[in-house]
Amino acid sequence: MQILVLGSAAGGGFPQWNCHCSNCRGLRAGTIKATPRTQSSIAVSPDGENWALINASPDIRQQINQSPQLWPAQGARGTNIRGVILSDSQIDHTTGLITLREGLPLDVYCSDVVYEDLTSAYPLFTMLKHWHGGLTFKPIGYEQKDVFNVDGVENIEFVPVTIESNAPPYSKYRDKVVAGNNIGLKIVDTTSGKYLFYLPGIVESTPEVEKILANASCVLIDGTLWLDDEMIAQGVGTKLGSQMGHMPVNGDFGTVALLNKFDIERKILIHINNTNPILNEESPQHQFVLDNGVEIAVDGMEITI
C-alpha cells in the first residue's frame, strides 16, 4: 500500500497568508530554517495508479499538480482519484471539492452527520450537483464494524473509528458533538494485513484508539499545536487547541507521550499549525519530536506499507 502526503499543515497552511507569527514571518524572510506546507490531505493506493483521496484540501489543485501519481494518464481528461473520503466536515478538509468540480461526478464517502453539514449550513453537495452530475454521496458509518471499500481501489479496506474532537464552527453540532462528526481511519492493506492509522484531528485518546495504535505499522496523527494555549499566547487566536478539537504535541497527555506507549514502525505528526515551533527545524521543540522517534510530515512525503 502506498500513502502520499499531499498536504501536511493545518488550516491556513504555512505560511498562512495573513499571519505575522514568528514562524510565518521567519519563513518569508528566510531567517528560520523551515519548509512551506499546504493544508492537510493524503491519498492511498494499492498499486500507484488508483487512489483514494482522504480529505479535499483547499490546496488540492496545487497538490495534484505537484503529484505525478495523480495526473491523468489517458484520454483528453481524466483523473486517478477514484473517490474521496471525508473524516469530518471542516472547511480545510472539504473546500477542495469545489476545485474538483471539472472532474465530476465523484464519489464522496462520509458519515450521515458530515453529509448533513454539507447539504445544509455548508451545502457543497447542493451547489455541485450543477456540474456533470455532482458529488455522489456514499454513506459510511463511524464504528469499526462499518468497514467499507472505495470503488476502483482494490485490496484496501477502510475502518472508521470514532474519535474525540469537535465539529466545525459553522455546524449546529459545534461544541455538542455527536457520533459521526469526526472519524479516524484504520486503512488496511488486505494483502498483508498491515495498516495505517490516520488521525488528523483528535483531542484525547480512548481505549479503542490505543488498541488500534498498538498494532499499527504507521500512524499519521494530529500535530496541530505544541501547547494547548499556543494560539492565545501568540496573540493569533482566542481558543485553546482542545476547544478546537486538537491534542497538543507536548505534555503528559500530548501526542508524543501517547505515541511513546507503542512500538510503531513509523510515527508521523500531520496537520501542523503555522504557529507550532516544531516547524522551525532548528528549534528545540523540533529536535524533541525527532529525539522521541517521531517524524514531522512534509508535503510530498511517500510512505509504503
Side-chain angles (χ1 to χ4, degrees):
M1 180 168 65
Q2 300 176 36
I3 301 104
L4 177 62
V5 176
L6 297 173
S8 52
F14 176 57
Q16 183 171 307
W17 69 275
N18 68 333
C19 187
H20 196 57
C21 71
S22 59
N23 278 345
C24 291
R25 184 172 67 250
L27 179 61
R28 291 191 186 103
T31 56
I32 65 169
K33 184 180 179 182
T35 303
R37 288 165 165 84
T38 60
Q39 295 168 91
S40 177
S41 179
I42 68 169
V44 298
S45 172
D47 53 18
E49 297 180 359
N50 300 284
W51 293 83
L53 177 66
I54 304 176
N55 295 325
S57 157
D59 300 315
I60 191 64
R61 177 185 176 278
Q62 175 183 346
Q63 292 167 348
I64 291 173
N65 283 337
Q66 293 175 348
S67 305
Q69 303 95 320
L70 303 181
W71 294 352
Q74 297 177 350
R77 288 188 176 177
T79 179
N80 289 339
I81 297 171
R82 307 300 174 220
V84 180
I85 304 169
L86 301 178
S87 63
D88 53 49
S89 54
Q90 297 285 348
I91 284 177
D92 54 318
H93 284 161
T94 58
T95 305
L97 293 171
I98 298 174
T99 302
L100 296 176
R101 64 192 180 279
E102 294 93 349
L104 300 181
L106 184 64
D107 292 342
V108 176
Y109 298 76
C110 63
S111 70
D112 289 339
V113 176
V114 168
Y115 179 72
E116 180 184 352
D117 280 344
L118 299 181
T119 51
S120 55
Y122 184 34
L124 290 183
F125 277 85
T126 306
M127 292 164 51
L128 291 172
K129 69 182 180 181
H130 300 286
W131 278 268
H132 314 293
L135 305 172
T136 303
F137 172 44
K138 299 282 189 174
I140 63 173
Y142 49 83
E143 298 179 346
Q144 288 192 64
K145 63 180 178 61
D146 300 318
V147 179
F148 66 96
N149 302 97
V150 170
D151 292 343
V153 180
E154 305 295 332
N155 302 318
I156 295 181
E157 288 184 344
F158 299 90
V159 183
V161 181
T162 300
I163 57 174
E164 299 293 328
S165 191
N166 204 347
Y170 73 81
S171 173
K172 72 178 185 181
Y173 298 111
R174 181 71 169 183
D175 298 326
K176 47 183 177 181
V177 174
V178 298
N181 277 137
N182 300 272
I183 60 168
L185 286 169
K186 177 183 175 183
I187 305 171
V188 184
D189 180 343
T190 59
T191 61
S192 67
K194 295 182 178 181
Y195 63 85
L196 163 75
F197 197 13
Y198 183 50
L199 296 161
I202 182 171
V203 71
E204 62 182 37
S205 185
T206 65
E208 180 182 27
V209 164
E210 297 197 12
K211 185 175 181 180
I212 299 170
L213 283 172
N215 294 298
S217 296
C218 179
V219 59
L220 283 164
I221 192 169
D222 194 338
T224 306
L225 302 175
W226 175 251
L227 297 173
D228 195 28
D229 66 349
E230 178 177 305
M231 295 183 70
I232 298 172
Q234 295 194 29
V236 297
T238 59
K239 291 186 177 181
L240 299 171
S242 54
Q243 291 175 307
M244 296 183 287
H246 298 290
M247 178 187 296
V249 171
N250 195 28
D252 293 342
F253 300 99
T255 49
V256 169
L258 175 63
L259 293 173
N260 278 342
K261 297 180 181 180
F262 308 102
D263 183 20
I264 302 168
E265 185 176 342
R266 295 192 70 176
K267 309 172 184 181
I268 307 170
L269 299 179
I270 197 168
H271 197 274
I272 305 159
N273 199 59
N274 58 81
T275 56
N276 194 325
I278 68 173
L279 291 172
N280 183 339
E281 296 166 19
E282 296 177 327
S283 69
Q285 294 89 346
H286 182 95
Q287 192 60 46
F288 171 84
V289 171
L290 299 186
D291 287 347
N292 277 272
V294 179
E295 301 173 62
I296 302 170
V298 294
D299 295 10
M301 177 183 279
E302 298 182 34
I303 303 161
T304 300
I305 293 179

